[in-house]
Amino acid sequence: MNDMKSKLKGMTLLSLLSLGGCAQLEQAPTVPPLTLAELRTELSLSEQKIQLAMAQQARQTVQQQQLLTQLNTDVVNMKESVNKVDSKLATLPAQPPKPPAIPTEQCAAPDQGHTVDGKLLVGEAEWIWVDAANDAFQARVDTGATTSSISAQEITIFERNGKNWVRFFLSHQDLDDKIQIEAPLVRHVRVRQASADDLDRRPVVRLTVRIGDMTEKAEFTLKDRSDMTFPVLLGREFLKDIAVVDVAREYIQPKPKLKDVK
């Protein structure tokens, strides 16, 4: 009986060992070896990868060398520029040169009462000489007025040598007597008064006047200015191209006097 049990145990153990060996063979199957062609393909791919890596490293090395060469060139050029600047600075005098003296005859000061370009300089009020009246009068300089004006009363138009003339009396609060003036009639103008809507028709005469050292023939409208501060008003037509106005000053030009007759 005991021998039978022993045999059964031995057979059971042998069966288990056999089953275990089969199970291991199924879990780890054998891998077939590579063929010679496959080995050559693998080696060729590996060589290509190595060659590509070496070529890329070579390109990077060349680029780095080019950058270093350019950097060295820039440094050399910069040093040369600095040396040139230092050389120029070394030649400069310790003190800045003095500006050259300009002879006074080449840069003469403008005459008194004139601008640099020779135009007459006038203020807001000036003395003006009227040849026909043989006297000087105070005049207001007004760039807002187009035409000049002179105080006139008892205006009479008459004919002389076939041409129209005007006779009028210059009267003002600063004058003791009226001054008779005769002058050629140029035309009539219509002027709108600031305090009225109607147009005022005024005669225009041409008079020879002098202000400062300038003598001009100018047109004047005739209007009674006896109640105004100035008997004469100088407008833009008289001032343009010959005078510059400084409204902050008065009587820049001297009072004209009667010229000596030689």
Side-chain angles (χ1 to χ4, degrees):
M1 191 68 179
N2 291 329
D3 293 337
M4 191 67 160
K5 290 180 179 180
S6 297
K7 291 179 179 180
L8 289 173
K9 289 180 179 179
M11 292 174 66
T12 303
L13 182 60
L14 182 60
S15 298
L16 291 172
L17 290 173
S18 299
L19 290 173
C22 292
Q24 289 177 357
L25 290 174
E26 290 178 357
Q27 291 178 359
T30 57
V31 178
L34 296 174
T35 63
L36 183 58
E38 290 175 344
L39 288 173
R40 288 177 177 175
T41 302
E42 289 291 336
L43 289 173
S44 177
L45 292 175
S46 298
E47 289 177 356
Q48 291 178 2
K49 290 180 179 179
I50 292 172
Q51 291 176 357
L52 289 173
M54 293 177 64
Q56 184 175 3
Q57 186 175 2
R59 287 195 298 270
Q60 291 179 351
T61 302
V62 172
Q63 291 176 354
Q64 290 177 354
Q65 290 177 350
Q66 292 176 348
L67 290 174
L68 288 174
T69 302
Q70 183 64 39
L71 181 60
N72 291 332
T73 303
D74 293 341
V75 171
V76 172
N77 293 335
M78 186 177 296
K79 288 182 178 179
E80 291 179 354
S81 300
V82 172
N83 292 334
K84 289 180 181 179
V85 173
D86 291 340
S87 300
K88 291 182 179 180
L89 291 176
T91 59
L92 294 177
Q95 297 293 333
K98 296 181 179 180
I102 301 176
T104 54
E105 60 270 13
Q106 294 183 7
C107 186
D111 296 335
Q112 184 179 4
H114 291 77
T115 60
V116 177
D117 56 355
K119 291 183 178 180
L120 194 70
L121 186 62
V122 297
E124 190 178 19
E126 293 290 343
W127 284 97
I128 186 170
W129 179 273
V130 181
D131 276 359
N134 199 29
D135 202 351
F137 306 93
Q138 290 176 303
R140 179 193 172 194
V141 179
D142 186 2
T143 57
T146 303
T147 310
S148 301
S149 176
I150 190 168
S151 183
Q153 295 180 348
E154 303 178 28
I155 300 172
T156 303
I157 299 176
F158 64 96
E159 186 174 333
R160 175 179 292 173
N161 299 328
K163 296 182 179 180
N164 290 328
W165 279 60
V166 178
R167 181 186 298 111
F168 63 94
F169 289 89
L170 195 158
S171 177
H172 196 259
Q173 54 190 354
D174 295 333
L175 300 177
D176 295 333
D177 299 320
K178 294 181 179 181
I179 301 176
Q180 179 177 307
I181 296 177
E182 293 182 352
L185 174 65
V186 178
R187 64 181 184 277
H188 284 84
V189 295
R190 293 186 179 276
V191 180
R192 186 181 300 276
Q193 295 290 332
S195 58
D197 296 332
D198 297 335
L199 294 176
D200 185 14
R201 188 170 182 268
R202 300 176 186 173
V204 179
V205 297
R206 183 177 288 109
L207 299 173
T208 300
V209 296
R210 176 161 43 96
I211 178 171
D213 58 0
M214 182 189 68
T215 301
E216 289 287 329
K217 286 186 176 182
E219 294 183 356
F220 291 84
T221 59
L222 302 183
K223 179 184 181 300
D224 187 1
R225 299 176 55 89
S226 57
D227 58 340
M228 298 183 181
T229 305
F230 299 93
V232 180
L233 181 141
L234 298 179
R236 291 193 305 271
E237 291 295 332
F238 175 80
L239 300 169
K240 70 176 183 179
D241 302 330
I242 62 172
V244 175
V245 181
D246 184 354
V247 296
R249 301 172 63 186
E250 290 184 348
Y251 304 107
I252 299 174
Q253 302 299 325
K255 182 178 180 180
K257 297 180 181 179
L258 179 64
K259 291 184 178 180
D260 295 333
V261 180
K262 296 182 180 180

